[in-house]
């Protein structure tokens, strides 16, 4: 290259201030040990956190499974109970109709005739007249503590 005045521009980049380069300094042994200790402690806490989350997830999954199993069992019990209820209702209807047929007037009269019973005649009916002075008294049970307590309470307020 020629060093003369060739008409080219000057290279001014040589005069610009250069940026300082960042250089990573090595840590001393004490700081390295502390850094490794912090890293081990952080890994331990991360492992504990992952384990806690895994246990919580297993607990939730187990809870969902057991609740679904119990729900299925309850639904099957409900369906069995409904089937039993409908069976018992039909049995009740059958028994009511059987009772109604056995207690009908015609069946009662037939049963009475078969067992030697007859309808009442007018001569068999007697009427009893009671005078107004006759009264019935019921002896009070003196050993009943409940009636004594009630009588005492009524006597207190009267």
């Amino acid at each position: 290259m020629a060093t003369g005045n060739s008409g080219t521009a000057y290279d001014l980049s040589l005069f610009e201030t250069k940026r300082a380069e960042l250089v990573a300094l090595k840590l001393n042994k004490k700081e390295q040990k502390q850094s490794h200790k912090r890293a081990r402690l952080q890994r331990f806490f991360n492992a504990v956190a992952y384990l806690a989350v895994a246990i919580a997830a297993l607990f939730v999954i187990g809870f969902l499974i057991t609740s679904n199993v119990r729900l299925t069992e309850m639904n099957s019990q409900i369906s069995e109970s409904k089937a039993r209820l409908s069976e018992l209702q039909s049995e009740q209807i059958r028994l009511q109709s059987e009772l109604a047929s056995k207690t009908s007037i015609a069946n009662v009269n037939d049963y009475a005739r078969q067992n030697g019973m007859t309808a009442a005649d007018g001569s068999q009916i007697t009427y009893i007249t009671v005078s107004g002075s006759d009264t019935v008294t019921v002896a009070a049970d003196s050993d009943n503590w409940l009636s004594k307590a009630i009588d005492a309470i009524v006597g207190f307020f009267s």
Side-chain angles (χ1 to χ4, degrees), residues 105-124:
I105 297 294
N107 285 341
V108 171
N109 287 335
D110 289 341
Y111 178 79
R113 277 192 221 105
Q114 288 173 0
N115 291 317
M117 297 180 199
T118 58
D121 293 337
S123 63
Q124 294 174 327

Side-chain angles (χ1 to χ4, degrees), residues 89-145:
Q89 285 174 340
S90 64
E91 180 72 12
Q92 179 189 17
I93 291 169
R94 185 190 66 80
L95 289 174
Q96 284 177 343
S97 65
E98 184 180 334
L99 177 67
S101 69
K102 286 186 178 185
T103 57
S104 68
I105 297 294
N107 285 341
V108 171
N109 287 335
D110 289 341
Y111 178 79
R113 277 192 221 105
Q114 288 173 0
N115 291 317
M117 297 180 199
T118 58
D121 293 337
S123 63
Q124 294 174 327
I125 299 173
T126 49
Y127 294 99
I128 300 173
T129 57
V130 178
S131 64
S133 64
D134 293 337
T135 58
V136 176
T137 59
V138 177
D141 186 11
S142 60
D143 294 335
N144 189 353
W145 65 271

Side-chain angles (χ1 to χ4, degrees), residues 31-105:
E31 289 175 349
Q32 284 178 351
K33 284 183 182 180
Q34 287 178 349
S35 174
H36 288 302
K37 190 176 183 179
R38 275 183 288 194
R40 282 194 314 254
L41 191 61
Q42 185 64 39
R43 284 192 303 265
F44 173 74
F45 284 134
N46 286 346
V48 168
Y50 291 142
L51 186 62
V53 168
I55 288 173
L58 286 175
F59 178 74
V60 168
I61 290 170
F63 179 73
L64 289 174
I65 289 172
T66 55
S67 63
N68 281 339
V69 166
R70 292 190 70 194
L71 181 65
T72 303
E73 289 173 354
M74 292 293 184
N75 284 337
S76 67
Q77 286 178 355
I78 288 171
S79 64
E80 289 172 4
S81 297
K82 284 182 179 179
R84 179 77 175 135
L85 177 65
S86 65
E87 178 184 321
L88 290 175
Q89 285 174 340
S90 64
E91 180 72 12
Q92 179 189 17
I93 291 169
R94 185 190 66 80
L95 289 174
Q96 284 177 343
S97 65
E98 184 180 334
L99 177 67
S101 69
K102 286 186 178 185
T103 57
S104 68
I105 297 294

Side-chain angles (χ1 to χ4, degrees), residues 15-27:
F15 299 106
E16 290 180 359
T17 57
K18 292 184 180 180
R19 283 196 284 158
E21 293 182 20
L22 296 176
V23 178
L25 298 176
K26 289 187 178 180
L27 299 175

